[in-house]
């Protein structure tokens, strides 16, 4: 059970804060069902409604500062995805994001950075899929680390680099 004011990672919305826990007075919605009313931290115009009964499937607590530091320290030990065919790339990327798991986010970022480096070395451009999913996953990961580590989101990549991880 989460409380009002808790930060959570919410599927495809990134870091959210729980603003309210209440029933909804909307037609077609069970009037007895409690909902978490979430406000995405980096998209103030959005609101997310999650039934309390389904919260375990949709949201998780964000990392503590200690967990975030441990994750960053362990980045060199997280392997890239094993992509065997360009036909499966997007499906694998979507799976990493759907997992709502920060280690999978790191794995995806490392994979995209590796692919970018190899393509540029071969004189080719980044793929549109890599650009799209890098933007999504880095937004989720860097947003969560910013809250966990209490630093501005735009400083997270520098923090990671200073901690010894190079792209």
């Amino acid at each position: 059970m989460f409380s009002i004011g808790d930060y959570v990672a919410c599927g495809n919305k990134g870091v959210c804060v729980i603003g309210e826990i209440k029933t909804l007075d909307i037609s077609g919605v069970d009037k007895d069902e409690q909902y978490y009313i979430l406000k995405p931290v980096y998209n103030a115009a959005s609101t997310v409604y999650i039934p309390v009964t389904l919260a375990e499937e949709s949201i998780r607590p964000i990392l503590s500062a200690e967990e975030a530091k441990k994750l960053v320290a362990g980045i060199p030990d997280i392997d890239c995805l094993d992509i065997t065919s360009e036909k499966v790339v997007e499906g694998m990327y979507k799976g990493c994001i759907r997992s709502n798991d920060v280690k999978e986010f790191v794995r995806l970022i490392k994979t995209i950075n590796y692919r970018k480096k190899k393509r540029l070395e071969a004189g080719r451009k980044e793929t549109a899929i890599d650009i799209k999913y890098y933007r999504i996953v880095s937004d989720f990961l860097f947003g969560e680390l910013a809250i966990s580590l209490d630093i501005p989101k735009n400083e997270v990549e520098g923090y990671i680099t200073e901690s010894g991880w190079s792209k």
Side-chain angles (χ1 to χ4, degrees):
M1 185 79 174
F2 297 102
S3 301
I4 293 173
D6 286 352
Y7 286 99
V8 295
C10 178
N12 64 354
K13 297 296 181 185
V15 178
C16 297
V17 65
I18 297 178
E20 296 179 79
I21 304 170
K22 66 179 189 175
T23 58
L24 300 178
D25 189 17
I26 300 172
S27 66
V29 173
D30 182 353
K31 305 289 186 224
D32 296 324
E33 177 125 36
Q34 292 279 315
Y35 281 78
Y36 290 117
I37 313 302
L38 309 178
K39 293 302 288 179
V41 172
Y42 300 105
N43 183 0
S46 184
T47 302
V48 182
Y49 302 88
I50 304 285
V52 170
T53 56
L54 299 177
E56 279 187 33
E57 302 167 18
S58 306
I59 59 178
R60 64 170 170 77
I62 65 165
L63 299 173
S64 67
E66 186 174 313
E67 291 168 329
K69 290 174 184 174
K70 187 176 176 181
L71 174 72
V72 171
I75 287 174
D77 299 324
I78 297 174
D79 294 327
C80 291
L81 295 168
D82 184 22
I83 297 174
T84 56
S85 164
E86 286 298 313
K87 293 178 183 177
V88 300
V89 168
E90 190 165 20
M92 292 178 78
Y93 288 5
K94 285 180 180 179
C96 287
I97 291 172
R98 268 194 306 270
S99 75
N100 199 15
D101 179 331
V102 290
K103 285 186 180 176
E104 289 301 306
F105 294 170
V106 171
R107 183 182 318 280
L108 181 50
I109 287 172
K110 286 182 75 170
T111 300
I112 292 170
N113 284 336
Y114 175 78
R115 285 169 50 88
K116 177 181 179 179
K117 179 182 174 190
K118 289 297 180 189
R119 289 184 69 84
L120 293 176
E121 286 173 356
R124 297 163 57 198
K125 294 192 293 185
E126 267 184 285
T127 68
I129 288 173
D130 284 350
I131 292 168
K132 172 185 174 181
Y133 285 94
Y134 181 85
R135 187 180 69 250
I136 293 168
V137 76
S138 65
D139 191 49
F140 290 173
L141 180 64
F142 297 169
E144 182 167 352
L145 290 175
I147 300 294
S148 297
L149 297 169
D150 195 27
I151 60 177
K153 186 177 175 184
N154 64 350
E155 293 179 15
V156 170
E157 193 167 11
Y159 173 87
I160 291 170
T161 302
E162 289 172 15
S163 299
W165 177 42
S166 63
K167 289 184 172 187

